[in-house]
PDB file of all heavy atoms in Angstrom:
ATOM      1  N   LEU A1012       9.172   1.953  38.060  1.00 90.00           N
ATOM      2  CA  LEU A1012       8.399   2.351  39.295  1.00 90.00           C
ATOM      3  C   LEU A1012       8.881   1.579  40.496  1.00 90.00           C
ATOM      4  O   LEU A1012       8.148   1.521  41.468  1.00 90.00           O
ATOM      5  CB  LEU A1012       6.932   2.048  38.996  1.00 90.00           C
ATOM      6  CG  LEU A1012       6.234   2.841  37.956  1.00 90.00           C
ATOM      7  CD1 LEU A1012       4.859   2.295  37.590  1.00 90.00           C
ATOM      8  CD2 LEU A1012       6.077   4.311  38.416  1.00 90.00           C
ATOM      9  N   SER A1013      10.051   0.965  40.471  1.00 88.00           N
ATOM     10  CA  SER A1013      10.454   0.144  41.617  1.00 88.00           C
ATOM     11  C   SER A1013      10.700   0.982  42.867  1.00 88.00           C
ATOM     12  O   SER A1013      10.512   0.467  43.955  1.00 88.00           O
ATOM     13  CB  SER A1013      11.738  -0.628  41.197  1.00 88.00           C
ATOM     14  OG  SER A1013      12.761   0.346  40.813  1.00 88.00           O
ATOM     15  N   ASP A1014      11.070   2.262  42.715  1.00 87.00           N
ATOM     16  CA  ASP A1014      11.286   3.074  43.849  1.00 87.00           C
ATOM     17  C   ASP A1014      10.061   3.853  44.251  1.00 87.00           C
ATOM     18  O   ASP A1014      10.175   4.789  45.114  1.00 87.00           O
ATOM     19  CB  ASP A1014      12.452   4.016  43.584  1.00 87.00           C
ATOM     20  CG  ASP A1014      12.246   4.935  42.403  1.00 87.00           C
ATOM     21  OD1 ASP A1014      11.263   4.623  41.668  1.00 87.00           O
ATOM     22  OD2 ASP A1014      13.059   5.802  42.184  1.00 87.00           O
ATOM     23  N   GLY A1015       8.906   3.569  43.660  1.00 86.00           N
ATOM     24  CA  GLY A1015       7.661   4.179  44.082  1.00 86.00           C
ATOM     25  C   GLY A1015       7.382   5.526  43.419  1.00 86.00           C
ATOM     26  O   GLY A1015       6.470   6.236  43.851  1.00 86.00           O
ATOM     27  N   ARG A1016       8.103   5.893  42.435  1.00 88.00           N
ATOM     28  CA  ARG A1016       7.881   7.149  41.639  1.00 88.00           C
ATOM     29  C   ARG A1016       8.332   7.018  40.237  1.00 88.00           C
ATOM     30  O   ARG A1016       9.200   6.124  39.911  1.00 88.00           O
ATOM     31  CB  ARG A1016       8.538   8.335  42.323  1.00 88.00           C
ATOM     32  CG  ARG A1016      10.040   8.207  42.468  1.00 88.00           C
ATOM     33  CD  ARG A1016      10.640   9.275  43.348  1.00 88.00           C
ATOM     34  NE  ARG A1016      10.334  10.594  42.827  1.00 88.00           N
ATOM     35  CZ  ARG A1016       9.610  11.518  43.524  1.00 88.00           C
ATOM     36  NH1 ARG A1016       9.201  11.213  44.746  1.00 88.00           N
ATOM     37  NH2 ARG A1016       9.395  12.742  43.003  1.00 88.00           N
ATOM     38  N   MET A1017       7.829   7.845  39.387  1.00 89.00           N
ATOM     39  CA  MET A1017       8.192   7.841  37.990  1.00 89.00           C
ATOM     40  C   MET A1017       8.993   9.035  37.610  1.00 89.00           C
ATOM     41  O   MET A1017       8.434  10.190  37.663  1.00 89.00           O
ATOM     42  CB  MET A1017       6.900   7.756  37.059  1.00 89.00           C
ATOM     43  CG  MET A1017       7.125   7.798  35.617  1.00 89.00           C
ATOM     44  SD  MET A1017       8.065   6.402  34.899  1.00 89.00           S
ATOM     45  CE  MET A1017       6.795   5.132  34.978  1.00 89.00           C
ATOM     46  N   GLU A1018      10.226   8.850  37.222  1.00 89.00           N
ATOM     47  CA  GLU A1018      11.112   9.996  36.852  1.00 89.00           C
ATOM     48  C   GLU A1018      10.760  10.425  35.398  1.00 89.00           C
ATOM     49  O   GLU A1018      10.232   9.631  34.630  1.00 89.00           O
ATOM     50  CB  GLU A1018      12.563   9.597  36.937  1.00 89.00           C
ATOM     51  CG  GLU A1018      12.967   9.116  38.280  1.00 89.00           C
ATOM     52  CD  GLU A1018      12.918  10.241  39.377  1.00 89.00           C
ATOM     53  OE1 GLU A1018      12.869  11.436  38.913  1.00 89.00           O
ATOM     54  OE2 GLU A1018      12.862   9.946  40.531  1.00 89.00           O
ATOM     55  N   GLU A1019      11.113  11.714  35.129  1.00 89.00           N
ATOM     56  CA  GLU A1019      10.779  12.181  33.821  1.00 89.00           C
ATOM     57  C   GLU A1019      11.592  11.517  32.719  1.00 89.00           C
ATOM     58  O   GLU A1019      11.024  11.193  31.605  1.00 89.00           O
ATOM     59  CB  GLU A1019      11.128  13.677  33.799  1.00 89.00           C
ATOM     60  CG  GLU A1019      10.186  14.539  34.616  1.00 89.00           C
ATOM     61  CD  GLU A1019       8.801  14.592  34.121  1.00 89.00           C
ATOM     62  OE1 GLU A1019       8.539  14.323  32.876  1.00 89.00           O
ATOM     63  OE2 GLU A1019       7.878  14.841  34.929  1.00 89.00           O
ATOM     64  N   ASN A1020      12.823  11.154  32.983  1.00 90.00           N
ATOM     65  CA  ASN A1020      13.610  10.474  31.983  1.00 90.00           C
ATOM     66  C   ASN A1020      13.064   9.083  31.658  1.00 90.00           C
ATOM     67  O   ASN A1020      13.115   8.533  30.548  1.00 90.00           O
ATOM     68  CB  ASN A1020      15.073  10.426  32.401  1.00 90.00           C
ATOM     69  CG  ASN A1020      15.243   9.648  33.714  1.00 90.00           C
ATOM     70  OD1 ASN A1020      14.290   9.574  34.509  1.00 90.00           O
ATOM     71  ND2 ASN A1020      16.474   9.202  33.960  1.00 90.00           N
ATOM     72  N   LYS A1021      12.580   8.394  32.693  1.00 90.00           N
ATOM     73  CA  LYS A1021      11.969   7.118  32.532  1.00 90.00           C
ATOM     74  C   LYS A1021      10.704   7.185  31.698  1.00 90.00           C
ATOM     75  O   LYS A1021      10.400   6.298  30.910  1.00 90.00           O
ATOM     76  CB  LYS A1021      11.661   6.477  33.910  1.00 90.00           C
ATOM     77  CG  LYS A1021      12.907   6.112  34.679  1.00 90.00           C
ATOM     78  CD  LYS A1021      13.650   4.921  34.022  1.00 90.00           C
ATOM     79  CE  LYS A1021      14.826   4.492  34.919  1.00 90.00           C
ATOM     80  NZ  LYS A1021      15.547   3.372  34.240  1.00 90.00           N
ATOM     81  N   LEU A1022       9.951   8.292  31.956  1.00 90.00           N
ATOM     82  CA  LEU A1022       8.758   8.479  31.166  1.00 90.00           C
ATOM     83  C   LEU A1022       9.035   8.662  29.676  1.00 90.00           C
ATOM     84  O   LEU A1022       8.365   8.063  28.805  1.00 90.00           O
ATOM     85  CB  LEU A1022       7.968   9.710  31.757  1.00 90.00           C
ATOM     86  CG  LEU A1022       6.528   9.857  31.212  1.00 90.00           C
ATOM     87  CD1 LEU A1022       5.651   8.710  31.579  1.00 90.00           C
ATOM     88  CD2 LEU A1022       5.927  11.171  31.765  1.00 90.00           C
ATOM     89  N   ALA A1023      10.081   9.463  29.384  1.00 92.00           N
ATOM     90  CA  ALA A1023      10.469   9.572  28.036  1.00 92.00           C
ATOM     91  C   ALA A1023      10.954   8.307  27.385  1.00 92.00           C
ATOM     92  O   ALA A1023      10.743   7.973  26.251  1.00 92.00           O
ATOM     93  CB  ALA A1023      11.513  10.656  27.920  1.00 92.00           C
ATOM     94  N   ALA A1024      11.734   7.522  28.229  1.00 92.00           N
ATOM     95  CA  ALA A1024      12.253   6.255  27.719  1.00 92.00           C
ATOM     96  C   ALA A1024      11.100   5.297  27.448  1.00 92.00           C
ATOM     97  O   ALA A1024      11.190   4.550  26.416  1.00 92.00           O
ATOM     98  CB  ALA A1024      13.211   5.617  28.769  1.00 92.00           C
ATOM     99  N   LEU A1025      10.103   5.291  28.228  1.00 92.00           N
ATOM    100  CA  LEU A1025       8.950   4.415  27.986  1.00 92.00           C
ATOM    101  C   LEU A1025       8.177   4.783  26.669  1.00 92.00           C
ATOM    102  O   LEU A1025       7.747   3.964  25.938  1.00 92.00           O
ATOM    103  CB  LEU A1025       7.952   4.522  29.173  1.00 92.00           C
ATOM    104  CG  LEU A1025       8.312   3.726  30.447  1.00 92.00           C
ATOM    105  CD1 LEU A1025       7.463   4.059  31.599  1.00 92.00           C
ATOM    106  CD2 LEU A1025       8.251   2.183  30.165  1.00 92.00           C
ATOM    107  N   ASN A1026       8.098   6.071  26.443  1.00 93.00           N
ATOM    108  CA  ASN A1026       7.430   6.534  25.206  1.00 93.00           C
ATOM    109  C   ASN A1026       8.286   6.078  23.961  1.00 93.00           C
ATOM    110  O   ASN A1026       7.812   5.624  22.944  1.00 93.00           O
ATOM    111  CB  ASN A1026       7.274   8.012  25.201  1.00 93.00           C
ATOM    112  CG  ASN A1026       6.203   8.507  26.171  1.00 93.00           C
ATOM    113  OD1 ASN A1026       5.273   7.766  26.435  1.00 93.00           O
ATOM    114  ND2 ASN A1026       6.396   9.650  26.695  1.00 93.00           N
ATOM    115  N   GLN A1027       9.611   6.212  24.158  1.00 91.00           N
ATOM    116  CA  GLN A1027      10.587   5.761  23.067  1.00 91.00           C
ATOM    117  C   GLN A1027      10.435   4.282  22.842  1.00 91.00           C
ATOM    118  O   GLN A1027      10.388   3.795  21.733  1.00 91.00           O
ATOM    119  CB  GLN A1027      11.924   6.168  23.488  1.00 91.00           C
ATOM    120  CG  GLN A1027      12.931   6.139  22.280  1.00 91.00           C
ATOM    121  CD  GLN A1027      14.268   6.747  22.676  1.00 91.00           C
ATOM    122  OE1 GLN A1027      14.420   7.364  23.752  1.00 91.00           O
ATOM    123  NE2 GLN A1027      15.248   6.614  21.803  1.00 91.00           N
ATOM    124  N   LEU A1028      10.370   3.512  23.942  1.00 91.00           N
ATOM    125  CA  LEU A1028      10.249   2.087  23.887  1.00 91.00           C
ATOM    126  C   LEU A1028       8.980   1.668  23.234  1.00 91.00           C
ATOM    127  O   LEU A1028       8.923   0.669  22.473  1.00 91.00           O
ATOM    128  CB  LEU A1028      10.442   1.439  25.248  1.00 91.00           C
ATOM    129  CG  LEU A1028      10.676  -0.042  25.339  1.00 91.00           C
ATOM    130  CD1 LEU A1028      12.018  -0.390  24.654  1.00 91.00           C
ATOM    131  CD2 LEU A1028      10.721  -0.530  26.738  1.00 91.00           C
ATOM    132  N   ARG A1029       7.849   2.341  23.561  1.00 91.00           N
ATOM    133  CA  ARG A1029       6.599   2.065  22.930  1.00 91.00           C
ATOM    134  C   ARG A1029       6.663   2.265  21.405  1.00 91.00           C
ATOM    135  O   ARG A1029       6.124   1.422  20.649  1.00 91.00           O
ATOM    136  CB  ARG A1029       5.521   2.925  23.577  1.00 91.00           C
ATOM    137  CG  ARG A1029       4.148   2.783  22.995  1.00 91.00           C
ATOM    138  CD  ARG A1029       3.147   3.593  23.666  1.00 91.00           C
ATOM    139  NE  ARG A1029       3.310   5.032  23.399  1.00 91.00           N
ATOM    140  CZ  ARG A1029       2.863   5.679  22.348  1.00 91.00           C
ATOM    141  NH1 ARG A1029       2.165   5.033  21.450  1.00 91.00           N
ATOM    142  NH2 ARG A1029       3.088   6.964  22.154  1.00 91.00           N
ATOM    143  N   ASN A1030       7.325   3.277  20.954  1.00 91.00           N
ATOM    144  CA  ASN A1030       7.423   3.538  19.566  1.00 91.00           C
ATOM    145  C   ASN A1030       8.282   2.470  18.861  1.00 91.00           C
ATOM    146  O   ASN A1030       8.023   2.067  17.746  1.00 91.00           O
ATOM    147  CB  ASN A1030       7.969   4.958  19.286  1.00 91.00           C
ATOM    148  CG  ASN A1030       7.110   6.043  19.756  1.00 91.00           C
ATOM    149  OD1 ASN A1030       5.841   5.895  19.810  1.00 91.00           O
ATOM    150  ND2 ASN A1030       7.672   7.165  20.198  1.00 91.00           N
ATOM    151  N   ILE A1031       9.331   2.079  19.541  1.00 90.00           N
ATOM    152  CA  ILE A1031      10.210   1.049  18.924  1.00 90.00           C
ATOM    153  C   ILE A1031       9.404  -0.275  18.783  1.00 90.00           C
ATOM    154  O   ILE A1031       9.505  -0.968  17.774  1.00 90.00           O
ATOM    155  CB  ILE A1031      11.463   0.752  19.838  1.00 90.00           C
ATOM    156  CG1 ILE A1031      12.299   2.111  19.807  1.00 90.00           C
ATOM    157  CG2 ILE A1031      12.287  -0.360  19.311  1.00 90.00           C
ATOM    158  CD1 ILE A1031      13.536   2.013  20.774  1.00 90.00           C
ATOM    159  N   PHE A1032       8.706  -0.654  19.848  1.00 90.00           N
ATOM    160  CA  PHE A1032       7.963  -1.923  19.824  1.00 90.00           C
ATOM    161  C   PHE A1032       6.719  -1.855  18.895  1.00 90.00           C
ATOM    162  O   PHE A1032       6.174  -2.928  18.604  1.00 90.00           O
ATOM    163  CB  PHE A1032       7.492  -2.343  21.269  1.00 90.00           C
ATOM    164  CG  PHE A1032       8.706  -2.818  22.084  1.00 90.00           C
ATOM    165  CD1 PHE A1032       8.600  -2.977  23.472  1.00 90.00           C
ATOM    166  CD2 PHE A1032       9.937  -3.041  21.503  1.00 90.00           C
ATOM    167  CE1 PHE A1032       9.642  -3.348  24.239  1.00 90.00           C
ATOM    168  CE2 PHE A1032      11.009  -3.460  22.275  1.00 90.00           C
ATOM    169  CZ  PHE A1032      10.824  -3.637  23.629  1.00 90.00           C
ATOM    170  N   GLY A1033       6.352  -0.646  18.576  1.00 89.00           N
ATOM    171  CA  GLY A1033       5.134  -0.522  17.755  1.00 89.00           C
ATOM    172  C   GLY A1033       3.862  -0.797  18.546  1.00 89.00           C
ATOM    173  O   GLY A1033       2.842  -1.240  17.973  1.00 89.00           O
ATOM    174  N   LEU A1034       3.826  -0.541  19.846  1.00 89.00           N
ATOM    175  CA  LEU A1034       2.641  -0.674  20.630  1.00 89.00           C
ATOM    176  C   LEU A1034       1.697   0.406  20.387  1.00 89.00           C
ATOM    177  O   LEU A1034       2.079   1.554  20.255  1.00 89.00           O
ATOM    178  CB  LEU A1034       3.003  -0.799  22.111  1.00 89.00           C
ATOM    179  CG  LEU A1034       3.848  -1.945  22.563  1.00 89.00           C
ATOM    180  CD1 LEU A1034       4.147  -1.772  24.085  1.00 89.00           C
ATOM    181  CD2 LEU A1034       3.130  -3.218  22.385  1.00 89.00           C
ATOM    182  N   GLY A1035       0.395   0.107  20.313  1.00 89.00           N
ATOM    183  CA  GLY A1035      -0.580   1.129  20.143  1.00 89.00           C
ATOM    184  C   GLY A1035      -0.798   1.875  21.466  1.00 89.00           C
ATOM    185  O   GLY A1035      -0.394   1.460  22.572  1.00 89.00           O
ATOM    186  N   LYS A1036      -1.304   3.065  21.344  1.00 90.00           N
ATOM    187  CA  LYS A1036      -1.478   3.973  22.488  1.00 90.00           C
ATOM    188  C   LYS A1036      -2.390   3.342  23.520  1.00 90.00           C
ATOM    189  O   LYS A1036      -2.132   3.297  24.702  1.00 90.00           O
ATOM    190  CB  LYS A1036      -2.010   5.265  22.043  1.00 90.00           C
ATOM    191  CG  LYS A1036      -2.165   6.340  23.138  1.00 90.00           C
ATOM    192  CD  LYS A1036      -2.626   7.635  22.608  1.00 90.00           C
ATOM    193  CE  LYS A1036      -2.729   8.708  23.762  1.00 90.00           C
ATOM    194  NZ  LYS A1036      -3.249   9.962  23.241  1.00 90.00           N
ATOM    195  N   ARG A1037      -3.424   2.686  23.045  1.00 92.00           N
ATOM    196  CA  ARG A1037      -4.360   2.060  24.014  1.00 92.00           C
ATOM    197  C   ARG A1037      -3.705   0.882  24.755  1.00 92.00           C
ATOM    198  O   ARG A1037      -3.847   0.610  25.903  1.00 92.00           O
ATOM    199  CB  ARG A1037      -5.646   1.615  23.258  1.00 92.00           C
ATOM    200  CG  ARG A1037      -6.694   1.080  24.158  1.00 92.00           C
ATOM    201  CD  ARG A1037      -7.958   0.788  23.371  1.00 92.00           C
ATOM    202  NE  ARG A1037      -8.536   2.020  22.860  1.00 92.00           N
ATOM    203  CZ  ARG A1037      -9.579   2.038  22.083  1.00 92.00           C
ATOM    204  NH1 ARG A1037     -10.227   0.925  21.747  1.00 92.00           N
ATOM    205  NH2 ARG A1037      -9.999   3.215  21.630  1.00 92.00           N
ATOM    206  N   GLU A1038      -2.930   0.075  23.940  1.00 91.00           N
ATOM    207  CA  GLU A1038      -2.215  -1.101  24.537  1.00 91.00           C
ATOM    208  C   GLU A1038      -1.299  -0.622  25.594  1.00 91.00           C
ATOM    209  O   GLU A1038      -1.204  -1.254  26.722  1.00 91.00           O
ATOM    210  CB  GLU A1038      -1.552  -1.909  23.417  1.00 91.00           C
ATOM    211  CG  GLU A1038      -2.499  -2.485  22.474  1.00 91.00           C
ATOM    212  CD  GLU A1038      -1.741  -3.117  21.299  1.00 91.00           C
ATOM    213  OE1 GLU A1038      -0.650  -2.590  20.936  1.00 91.00           O
ATOM    214  OE2 GLU A1038      -2.225  -4.104  20.736  1.00 91.00           O
ATOM    215  N   ALA A1039      -0.516   0.410  25.289  1.00 92.00           N
ATOM    216  CA  ALA A1039       0.481   0.865  26.269  1.00 92.00           C
ATOM    217  C   ALA A1039      -0.220   1.462  27.487  1.00 92.00           C
ATOM    218  O   ALA A1039       0.280   1.261  28.620  1.00 92.00           O
ATOM    219  CB  ALA A1039       1.400   1.929  25.628  1.00 92.00           C
ATOM    220  N   GLU A1040      -1.293   2.165  27.209  1.00 92.00           N
ATOM    221  CA  GLU A1040      -2.001   2.765  28.424  1.00 92.00           C
ATOM    222  C   GLU A1040      -2.563   1.691  29.267  1.00 92.00           C
ATOM    223  O   GLU A1040      -2.652   1.764  30.530  1.00 92.00           O
ATOM    224  CB  GLU A1040      -3.115   3.644  27.849  1.00 92.00           C
ATOM    225  CG  GLU A1040      -2.568   4.961  27.294  1.00 92.00           C
ATOM    226  CD  GLU A1040      -3.779   5.835  26.795  1.00 92.00           C
ATOM    227  OE1 GLU A1040      -4.911   5.324  26.728  1.00 92.00           O
ATOM    228  OE2 GLU A1040      -3.468   7.004  26.366  1.00 92.00           O
ATOM    229  N   THR A1041      -3.056   0.532  28.662  1.00 92.00           N
ATOM    230  CA  THR A1041      -3.568  -0.578  29.514  1.00 92.00           C
ATOM    231  C   THR A1041      -2.471  -1.173  30.317  1.00 92.00           C
ATOM    232  O   THR A1041      -2.754  -1.437  31.581  1.00 92.00           O
ATOM    233  CB  THR A1041      -4.175  -1.630  28.488  1.00 92.00           C
ATOM    234  OG1 THR A1041      -5.174  -1.064  27.709  1.00 92.00           O
ATOM    235  CG2 THR A1041      -4.702  -2.769  29.367  1.00 92.00           C
TER     236      THR A1041
END
Side-chain angles (χ1 to χ4, degrees):
L1012 293 170
S1013 58
D1014 56 351
R1016 61 189 302 118
M1017 175 66 74
E1018 302 294 340
E1019 292 294 336
N1020 59 340
K1021 292 291 184 180
L1022 190 63
L1025 284 169
N1026 291 330
Q1027 194 173 352
L1028 193 64
R1029 177 177 69 84
N1030 294 332
I1031 295 173
F1032 288 169
L1034 295 176
K1036 185 177 181 181
R1037 184 174 298 179
E1038 295 172 329
E1040 288 178 352
T1041 302

